[in-house]
Amino acid sequence: MTQVSIEERTVADPTAGPYALTTGPDGALWFTLVHGGRLGRLVPDGEPTSHRLDPDCGPTVITPGPDGALWFTEYRADRIGRIATDGVIDEFALPTPDCGPFGIAAGPDGALWFTETAADRIGRITVDGRVTEFPLPVTGAFPSAITAGGDGGMWFTLNQANAIGRIGMDGAVVLHPLPTEEAAPVGIAASHHGALWFTEIAAGQIGRITPDGRITEFPLPDRTARPHAVTVDDDGTVWFTEWGGNRVGALTPDGSLTVHDLPTPRSEPHGIAVGPDGALWTALETGALARITT
């Protein structure tokens, strides 16, 4: 059984809404403040700083880019943003109005790929801001998180179509329906062994899909826990947040599953990532980042 220690670091006003986080190339955690219209930065042993955006733009997911900067989605402003590690910000408007960009990840082609939740499209943006959009073969699908797979494609969740999708660098899309009806997948992350892991927020399960489309589902002890985000550490352990259960969970390569209560009740854990210090960090929408060590 995995024993963990969890400590919280306050990084924002409780109304600002830390949502997603990632490790930047500068050895710092970068995180979005979805309600506060800001991006935050935290060196693990330092004090948090932040960078102001349009207050209503809704910065959502943030990821390292291939150009040494951080890239992020502006969900409510229909833009993709770029912030250099020195704080210089560029923003790129998307061609489709009201498209709701959400997930974003660097691809193997030197571009960033993102989801358009309200437009049933996957987008691609080059580091100089050129955008291409690829329509999905379904409507009302709400594509959500996206990640680069080890097979040269980008994998994403279709929250309302109950499927996992893959888009190749040529724009070809393949969809894999989930065995559990109305599972509503959200988070997705690639492992070091080719498989991808995802959360089923409505079913209370963690899912695994291989590049050839084979799906395995792992029920959580609390099926009402609302698992949201997922990441895989260097040991191959899958870590996830339980937004409804106020917990973080771990699923080890040998199939052992443990869940751990967060110190503060109703802290609303969302994004989770391995930090620059090797610990797991999760964003708590109530204004803190939690550091998890084993």
Side-chain angles (χ1 to χ4, degrees):
M1 180 175 177
T2 305
Q3 298 293 325
V4 306
S5 172
I6 303 175
E7 56 176 319
E8 293 181 10
R9 292 282 307 276
T10 299
V11 294
D13 180 276
T15 62
Y19 189 82
L21 76 172
T22 194
T23 294
D26 55 348
L29 284 159
W30 289 78
F31 53 95
T32 57
L33 297 169
V34 66
H35 303 308
R38 302 176 77 96
L39 300 175
R41 179 182 183 272
L42 177 69
V43 176
D45 59 355
E47 294 300 315
T49 57
S50 68
H51 302 271
R52 185 181 302 278
L53 303 167
D54 168 3
D56 299 319
C57 71
T60 307
V61 176
I62 187 165
T63 194
D67 56 348
L70 287 301
W71 289 73
F72 56 96
T73 51
E74 297 184 17
Y75 184 75
R76 292 198 291 271
D78 299 311
R79 290 189 297 252
I80 301 297
R82 176 191 187 272
I83 184 166
T85 53
D86 63 2
V88 174
I89 295 168
D90 293 293
E91 293 168 306
F92 304 94
L94 296 176
T96 301
D98 303 318
C99 62
F102 179 84
I104 188 167
D109 58 345
L112 286 299
W113 292 72
F114 57 93
T115 59
E116 297 185 358
T117 57
D120 292 314
R121 298 180 185 195
I122 302 297
R124 177 185 184 270
I125 184 169
T126 61
V127 293
D128 58 357
R130 287 176 292 126
V131 176
T132 311
E133 295 172 313
F134 301 90
L136 296 172
V138 282
T139 57
F142 207 84
S144 300
I146 189 168
T147 193
D151 62 343
M154 303 299 292
W155 291 74
F156 52 92
T157 53
L158 293 172
N159 178 260
Q160 293 300 300
N162 207 53
I164 304 298
R166 179 193 185 275
I167 185 167
M169 296 301 99
D170 59 355
V173 175
V174 177
L175 302 185
H176 302 280
L178 297 181
T180 301
E181 293 183 8
E182 299 180 1
V186 181
I188 191 167
S191 73
H192 307 294
H193 303 292
L196 297 106
W197 294 84
F198 55 93
T199 59
E200 297 182 356
I201 195 168
Q205 299 185 136
I206 303 299
R208 178 182 185 270
I209 185 169
T210 58
D212 61 359
R214 286 179 294 129
I215 296 170
T216 312
E217 295 170 314
F218 301 84
L220 298 177
D222 175 7
R223 300 296 288 275
T224 67
R226 309 286 289 176
H228 183 273
V230 63
T231 194
V232 183
D233 71 15
D234 290 340
D235 296 327
T237 297
V238 179
W239 292 84
F240 54 93
T241 53
E242 293 188 353
W243 177 70
N246 202 53
R247 292 180 288 257
V248 294
L251 179 60
T252 61
D254 65 5
S256 170
L257 193 153
T258 55
V259 293
H260 311 278
D261 291 321
L262 291 165
T264 303
R266 297 181 296 280
S267 56
E268 296 189 54
H270 282 291
I272 191 166
V274 178
D277 55 353
L280 273 294
W281 291 76
T282 184
L284 309 180
E285 200 167 333
T286 48
L289 303 184
R291 181 177 185 267
I292 304 139
T293 52
T294 57

